Amino acid sequence: MSRMWRSLVALIIGLTIALPLTAAEVEGVRLWRAPDHTRLVFDLSGPAEHKLFTLSGPHRVVVDIADTQLKAQLDTLDLKDTPIAQVRHARHNKKDLRVVFDLKQQANPRSFALRRHEQMPDRLVIDLYDEVKSEEKTLQQVGGERDIVIAIDAGHGGEDPGALGPGRLREKDVVLAIAKQLNKQINQRPGFSAKLVRSGDYYVAHRDRVNFGRKIRADLFVSIHADAFTRKDARGAGVYAVSTRGATSETARFLAQRENESDLIGGAGSLNLGDKDDTLAGVLLDLSMTATMNASLDIGASVLSQLGTVTHLHKKRVEQANFAVLRSPDVPSILVETGFITNPYESKRLRDPKFQRRLAQKLSEGIVAHFESRPPAGTWVAANRGAEARRHVIARGETLSGIAARYRISVASLKKANGINSSVIRVGQTLSIPSG
């Protein structure tokens, strides 16, 4: 009997091996438009090989997906403001799926596959890059005095929604709204210029975010998030700087790991967090980035003190963890957690445009306060420090001791310069800041 069962099992295994594999299916197709490229994402029921090539007269991009069937609708894609005129499909070699993109103008294609990760399926990503224009934008200087440049990075975007809160509130939407408010407020400050890493709903790889800050020669790179934690009662804003060693808390370690996985969800193509960028970061951060890291911690402390006037703080000091997006060798960088989107109370606040504006205001005040007290040489703020930068408008929740500490002066000298005989101050009152 046992011999018969062994023979039967062998026969079943043999038949199973001989059966043809089930063809993959394209279950969904999405399109995202970024400033310099158009991204199409094909959701697949399983991994599939593909080939991509281009044709001219007219310009076309052709993608062959091996042994795959199309179940999704292609005619519902919004092709407005993209180089794509239309999308066609047909069978190729009887079993493959051929997708043809008819182009309005020439584009430079790139494609890569992403394996299944957490809730995301296997995906094929096709990026159609716009033709690079010949002219280059350069930083403008007026009268030889440049602006202090702030790069503002709204986390996640596009394929990567980030953390999800009650009511399907998406982190990528919240942080983009805050980033736009911060961008607006900083640009209203004389001597400051802010630039958004992403201005819409599309994904930017970690290393491209870092390179953006370096390309515009930013004096500060600030990445804005509203993350999740394993416990719903986790709450409070926080500020983080990079660390090449251990994280300063379990929360910092957890958040860094979660954020560093975003490229696997958002789609960064040939992402390799162990490539030369990481090696460069590790070496430079250990050997020659002491000043940059200290500046990050100082700016973070200024921002944290302002955030504490409008929301609860998760930690009352700047924490450190090995966030990939903060690994710039020469640009001070901080990551701001505006709150935990998984906390029902904080999720409700983060959804509120008024609270988003207040957060942005405090972020702006913290950033500006640091640079007004320590302006980089050659900037407008440094040249005009004796005028604009030595006046302070009191905000809600501030104290004389806190203001004195920010500008590194004594409370007595601050009182004397303003003719104050008590510790009573009022919101909106303007103080003259004496030299330290």
Side-chain angles (χ1 to χ4, degrees), residues 45-115:
S45 59
E49 298 292 329
H50 77 281
K51 295 180 180 178
L52 181 147
F53 58 94
T54 60
L55 297 172
S56 58
H59 295 298
R60 286 155 289 166
V61 172
V62 182
V63 180
D64 288 334
I65 310 175
D67 197 21
T68 299
Q69 298 178 2
L70 179 65
K71 295 296 183 182
Q73 296 293 322
L74 297 180
D75 54 5
T76 59
L77 294 173
D78 184 3
L79 304 180
K80 184 181 178 182
D81 298 325
T82 76
I84 305 171
Q86 67 172 335
V87 183
R88 298 179 285 122
H89 67 92
R91 300 300 298 169
H92 178 65
N93 292 336
K94 295 184 179 181
K95 63 176 182 177
D96 298 343
L97 172 64
R98 169 164 288 185
V99 181
V100 180
F101 301 97
D102 295 318
L103 303 181
K104 305 170 190 174
Q105 64 264 350
Q106 188 173 3
N108 299 316
R110 188 187 70 155
S111 64
F112 55 90
L114 290 171
R115 297 302 301 268

Side-chain angles (χ1 to χ4, degrees), residues 266-334:
S270 56
L271 169 70
N272 180 0
L273 292 181
D275 65 8
K276 63 183 179 181
D277 289 338
D278 283 354
T279 302
L280 174 66
V283 172
L284 292 181
L285 285 171
D286 276 339
L287 299 180
S288 63
M289 268 193 62
T290 301
T292 301
M293 291 182 69
N294 286 342
S296 300
L297 291 170
D298 287 344
I299 298 169
S302 181
V303 169
L304 194 64
S305 68
Q306 287 298 315
L307 284 177
T309 66
V310 72
T311 190
H312 175 77
L313 296 179
H314 184 70
K315 295 283 186 179
K316 295 187 177 180
R317 62 188 177 94
V318 179
E319 295 203 84
Q320 292 179 267
N322 200 13
F323 288 95
V325 77
L326 300 183
R327 298 175 192 168
S328 178
D330 49 6
V331 178
S333 306
I334 60 173

Side-chain angles (χ1 to χ4, degrees), residues 167-350:
R168 302 295 294 176
L169 181 64
R170 302 182 300 187
E171 179 184 1
K172 68 174 183 177
D173 299 327
V174 170
V175 298
L176 181 59
I178 296 172
K180 287 181 175 180
Q181 284 291 332
L182 177 59
N183 181 69
K184 178 181 178 181
Q185 294 193 28
I186 288 182
N187 278 324
Q188 291 174 345
R189 301 270 188 165
F192 286 83
S193 176
K195 299 181 183 298
L196 291 168
V197 174
R198 72 172 178 97
S199 56
D201 188 11
Y202 50 87
Y203 189 76
V204 181
H206 283 144
R207 60 169 170 247
D208 292 335
R209 297 174 194 248
V210 173
N211 289 338
F212 177 90
R214 301 189 69 199
K215 183 177 179 180
I216 66 171
R217 300 179 185 177
D219 295 280
L220 171 66
F221 178 94
V222 52
S223 189
I224 302 175
H225 293 260
D227 222 314
F229 197 54
T230 52
R231 301 192 320 269
K232 289 186 177 181
D233 60 343
R235 67 188 184 103
V239 178
Y240 298 81
V242 75
S243 169
T244 57
R245 297 177 177 84
T248 52
S249 75
E250 284 299 316
T251 303
R253 182 179 294 108
F254 174 86
L255 295 179
Q257 179 180 354
R258 185 180 184 90
E259 295 304 334
N260 292 346
E261 288 181 348
S262 287
D263 277 342
L264 300 177
I265 299 172
S270 56
L271 169 70
N272 180 0
L273 292 181
D275 65 8
K276 63 183 179 181
D277 289 338
D278 283 354
T279 302
L280 174 66
V283 172
L284 292 181
L285 285 171
D286 276 339
L287 299 180
S288 63
M289 268 193 62
T290 301
T292 301
M293 291 182 69
N294 286 342
S296 300
L297 291 170
D298 287 344
I299 298 169
S302 181
V303 169
L304 194 64
S305 68
Q306 287 298 315
L307 284 177
T309 66
V310 72
T311 190
H312 175 77
L313 296 179
H314 184 70
K315 295 283 186 179
K316 295 187 177 180
R317 62 188 177 94
V318 179
E319 295 203 84
Q320 292 179 267
N322 200 13
F323 288 95
V325 77
L326 300 183
R327 298 175 192 168
S328 178
D330 49 6
V331 178
S333 306
I334 60 173
L335 185 145
V336 178
E337 290 290 350
T338 54
F340 285 86
I341 204 168
T342 43
N343 181 296
Y345 172 72
E346 293 198 340
S347 176
K348 183 177 180 180
R349 300 184 81 195
L350 290 170

Side-chain angles (χ1 to χ4, degrees), residues 14-34:
L15 289 173
T16 302
I17 294 174
L19 288 174
L21 295 175
T22 303
E25 294 181 348
V26 177
E27 299 175 331
V29 183
R30 295 177 305 288
L31 182 147
W32 309 94
R33 179 60 185 166

Side-chain angles (χ1 to χ4, degrees), residues 302 305-306 365 369-370 373 392 398 401-408:
S302 181
S305 68
Q306 287 298 315
E365 290 177 0
H370 170 85
S373 64
H392 179 89
E398 288 189 311
S401 59
I403 295 170
R406 177 188 302 175
Y407 292 98
R408 291 173 170 79

